Amino acid sequence: MTSFFKTMSASTAFLVASAVAASAQERSSWLGGFLGNIFDRVTGGNHAPAHNVPEIDASSGLLAGAAVLASLVLAWEIRRRRRG
């Protein structure tokens, strides 16, 4: 049970870190402007300009999430069978 909580806390930390990084790239929000200014101070403002990238639609996002979930369930099942 403790490994479940470790996994969930690591997943939550990764989600928060990626959300903060994503908001730092958008300077229109107060958090993005604040984090972007910190990033500019640390790097000296020398970074490549942003490029347009294709967005992930909801169905692709759900498929990606399902693939990750399926691989986690498969790994859990393999570990369960090796133990018992």
Side-chain angles (χ1 to χ4, degrees):
M1 194 63 158
T2 59
S3 64
F4 173 75
F5 290 117
K6 287 180 183 178
T7 303
M8 290 306 292
S9 61
S11 300
T12 303
F14 179 75
L15 179 65
V16 169
S18 62
V20 168
S23 67
Q25 293 175 358
E26 181 183 340
R27 300 285 178 105
S28 63
S29 67
W30 70 269
L31 180 62
F34 175 72
L35 294 175
N37 291 338
I38 291 175
F39 180 73
D40 284 344
R41 286 188 204 128
V42 171
T43 62
N46 298 330
H47 51 84
H51 298 283
N52 291 334
V53 295
E55 292 184 11
I56 298 175
D57 59 344
S59 62
S60 298
L62 286 174
L63 285 173
V68 170
L69 182 63
S71 61
L72 288 174
V73 169
L74 179 63
W76 175 77
E77 180 66 22
I78 290 171
R79 287 185 69 195
R80 187 184 69 82
R81 286 187 183 197
R82 285 185 185 168
R83 288 183 186 172

